[in-house]
């Protein structure tokens, strides 16, 4: 009995045998060709590296022509071409060259275990500003995010204009497409990079190869939900009533209610003039009050009275008496002659002793 998981997995180090002339000795029946346009800024580079492109394609017996007038590249099969898939690889090569991929990387598409994927991202985001921000997010600061993605997927990735060109193994291209599309859907690429790192570690363990990895993978929830902007003026709906609103009063109805309708024209005019004069008097009064505010003195703070220093001090009589006694004991002026002689004699005795 053979385990089914072993049948489903590819053995390590296994490679598909190369397609040789012995597999198709008679060649192709019909000639196939593909053409693609390239932008003006790629003209100088393509003109420089075109001999290398022709040399690489001649090994697979495919012709390549560069038309600088029309701005196009064409690849065609020949009678010697034996690999039917060689023309598809040549088509992908000229597509990658048109999308600013350098020749050193683009020529890898001619290998059997390398494929390419050109992802169109220009129409995935409506606003141009949002598109530029998300595309920059895919690149990361100084291209660090893109470099991390390249290391995890073993693919070469080139972000140019409205497309992302990827070159590498099929498994890596699948992951690159997922990350690019999620980034354009406003999901940060760091989440997918974390998932890829965990998957790479899990794939090293032979026991976990046939198990489900859902329990190991992180689940990220979107928290930045946009709140609906509330309008500045809210229209509050009134309660429904079956009756129509009352008819607004006309000018004649107002005059009838106030009795002004029955007045003469001269009386009406006088009343209007009185109202105008009353308004003018109120305005004049307010203006005068505003002017008088400048002449009103500010309220002064109440002066704080300085406390009188207490002159009364307790006099210590005993201390004064002692000072007087000490002063009397002290002898003022020069010493008398006798005392000076005695002192000199005492000093001489001390000298002799020494």
């Amino acid at each position: 009995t053979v385990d089914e998981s072993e049948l489903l997995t590819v053995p390590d180090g296994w490679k598909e045998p190369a397609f040789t002339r012995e597999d198709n000795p008679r060649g192709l029946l019909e000639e196939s060709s593909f053409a693609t346009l390239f932008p003006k800024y790629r003209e100088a580079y393509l003109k420089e590296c075109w001999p290398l492109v022709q040399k690489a394609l001649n090994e697979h017996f495919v012709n390549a022509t560069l038309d600088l007038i029309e701005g196009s590249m064409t690849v065609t099969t020949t009678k010697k071409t034996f690999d039917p898939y060689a023309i598809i690889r040549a088509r992908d090569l000229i597509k990658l060259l048109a999308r600013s991929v350098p020749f050193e990387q683009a020529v890898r598409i001619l290998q059997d275990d390398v494929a390419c994927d050109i992802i169109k991202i220009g129409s995935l985001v409506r606003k141009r500003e949002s598109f530029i921000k998300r595309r920059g997010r895919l690149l990361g600061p100084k291209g660090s995010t893109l470099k991390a993605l390249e290391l995890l997927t073993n693919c070469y990735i080139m972000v140019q204009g409205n497309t992302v060109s990827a070159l590498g193994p099929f498994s890596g291209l699948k992951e690159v497409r997922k990350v690019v599309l999620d980034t354009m859907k406003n999901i940060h690429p760091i989440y997918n990079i974390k998932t890829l790192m965990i998957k790479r570690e899990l794939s090293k363990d032979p026991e976990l190869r046939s198990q489900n990895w859902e329990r190991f993978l992180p689940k990220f929830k979107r928290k930045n939900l946009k709140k609906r902007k509330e309008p500045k003026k809210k229209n509050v709906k009134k309660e429904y009533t079956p009756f129509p609103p009352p008819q607004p009063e006309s000018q004649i109805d107002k005059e009838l209610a106030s009795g002004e309708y029955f007045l003469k024209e001269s009386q009406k005019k006088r009343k209007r003039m009185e109202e105008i004069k009353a308004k003018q008097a109120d305005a004049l009064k307010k203006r005068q009050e505003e002017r008088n505010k400048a002449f009103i003195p500010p309220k002064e703070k109440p002066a704080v009275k300085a406390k009188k220093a207490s002159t009364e001090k307790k006099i210590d009589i005993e201390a004064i008496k002692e000072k007087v006694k000490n002063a009397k004991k002290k002898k003022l002026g020069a010493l008398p002659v006798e005392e000076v002689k005695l002192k000199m004699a005492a000093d001489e005795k001390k000298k002799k002793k020494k």
Side-chain angles (χ1 to χ4, degrees):
T1 57
V2 182
D3 190 8
E4 289 183 2
S5 61
E6 289 181 7
L7 295 172
L8 293 170
T9 54
V10 179
D12 292 333
W14 182 85
K15 281 188 178 182
E16 194 175 348
F19 193 87
T20 58
R21 185 172 283 280
E22 293 172 4
D23 297 319
N24 187 16
R26 296 184 181 181
L28 305 175
L29 293 172
E30 294 290 332
E31 186 184 285
S32 302
S33 65
F34 290 101
T36 186
L37 298 171
F38 60 86
K40 186 75 176 173
Y41 60 84
R42 291 291 289 169
E43 187 178 317
Y45 180 79
L46 290 171
K47 196 176 178 181
E48 187 182 341
C49 73
W50 196 249
L52 297 170
V53 175
Q54 285 180 324
K55 187 182 177 182
L57 290 174
N58 283 338
E59 291 175 5
H60 297 269
F61 305 102
V62 177
N63 286 337
T65 54
L66 177 67
D67 193 345
L68 296 173
I69 297 163
E70 288 184 3
S72 66
M73 293 179 281
T74 312
V75 287
T76 54
T77 56
T78 60
K79 289 179 180 180
K80 289 183 180 180
T81 309
F82 62 88
D83 187 0
Y85 201 71
I87 189 65
I88 304 297
R89 295 189 187 283
R91 178 202 65 183
D92 292 341
L93 173 63
I94 59 173
K95 272 189 180 180
L96 291 169
L97 289 170
R99 295 312 312 149
S100 298
V101 177
F103 170 75
E104 291 79 11
Q105 292 291 340
V107 77
R108 287 171 54 211
I109 196 67
L110 299 174
Q111 299 171 15
D112 286 337
D113 56 344
V114 178
C116 75
D117 190 9
I118 296 170
I119 308 155
K120 293 179 181 179
I121 57 172
S123 59
L124 296 175
V125 185
R126 191 175 293 175
K127 290 183 180 178
R128 185 70 184 170
E129 292 83 8
S130 301
F131 169 73
I132 292 163
K133 276 184 182 178
R134 289 174 193 180
R135 188 179 63 183
R137 201 178 291 163
L138 184 65
L139 292 165
K142 297 180 181 178
S144 57
T145 307
L146 199 68
K147 188 68 181 173
L149 200 60
E150 285 180 350
L151 292 169
L152 289 166
T153 57
N154 296 323
C155 293
Y156 173 81
I157 305 164
M158 181 73 186
V159 181
Q160 174 70 20
N162 294 332
T163 58
V164 177
S165 305
L167 189 77
F170 289 100
S171 58
L173 292 175
K174 189 180 176 183
E175 297 293 347
V176 170
R177 179 172 273 273
K178 185 181 180 297
V179 173
V180 170
L181 294 177
D182 282 354
T183 306
M184 290 297 123
K185 289 176 186 173
N186 204 18
I187 298 167
H188 204 282
I190 194 67
Y191 299 133
N192 286 310
I193 285 169
K194 281 184 179 179
T195 308
L196 287 170
M197 287 170 75
I198 293 163
K199 280 182 179 178
R200 188 174 68 172
E201 292 299 319
L202 291 169
S203 63
K204 292 176 183 177
D205 193 349
E207 292 179 4
L208 296 168
R209 188 174 286 181
S210 59
Q211 293 181 15
N212 190 9
W213 293 349
E214 285 294 324
R215 57 201 170 106
F216 300 110
L217 300 177
K219 292 175 182 178
F220 302 103
K221 292 181 180 179
R222 292 185 71 181
K223 293 180 181 179
N224 55 341
L225 299 170
K226 285 186 179 179
K227 292 181 180 179
R228 183 178 169 272
K229 288 182 180 178
E230 294 183 358
K232 289 181 180 178
K233 292 181 180 179
K234 292 183 180 180
N235 296 325
V236 182
K237 287 187 177 181
K238 295 176 183 178
E239 291 183 8
Y240 174 74
T241 53
F243 306 105
Q247 193 74 16
E249 288 186 348
S250 64
Q251 189 66 26
I252 296 165
D253 292 336
K254 289 176 183 176
E255 286 179 1
L256 285 167
S258 62
E260 194 180 342
Y261 183 78
F262 303 103
L263 296 173
K264 291 178 183 178
E265 193 64 36
S266 59
Q267 290 173 329
K268 287 180 183 178
K269 196 174 181 180
R270 197 183 307 120
K271 192 178 180 181
R272 270 189 241 114
M273 289 299 292
E274 284 173 3
E275 286 174 359
I276 290 164
K277 282 180 182 178
K279 283 181 182 178
Q280 286 176 350
D282 288 339
L284 188 67
K285 191 178 179 183
K286 284 179 183 177
R287 208 179 300 124
Q288 197 65 35
E289 284 175 0
E290 287 291 327
R291 286 176 182 172
N292 291 338
K293 278 181 184 179
F295 300 104
I296 296 167
K299 288 182 179 179
E300 294 181 359
K301 291 180 181 178
V304 180
K305 290 181 180 179
K307 291 180 180 179
K308 290 180 180 179
S310 57
T311 53
E312 296 177 0
K313 289 181 180 178
K314 290 180 180 180
I315 300 165
D316 195 354
I317 298 164
E318 295 294 327
I320 293 166
K321 283 181 180 179
E322 284 181 9
K323 282 182 181 180
V324 171
K325 282 180 182 179
N326 292 332
K328 282 180 180 178
K329 286 178 184 177
K330 287 179 181 179
K331 292 178 181 180
L332 300 171
L335 292 169
V337 179
E338 292 177 358
E339 284 186 10
V340 172
K341 285 179 180 178
L342 289 169
K343 223 174 188 184
M344 288 172 71
D347 290 338
E348 283 177 5
K349 282 179 182 180
K350 282 180 182 180
K351 286 179 181 178
K352 284 177 181 178
K353 284 177 182 179
K354 288 178 179 180

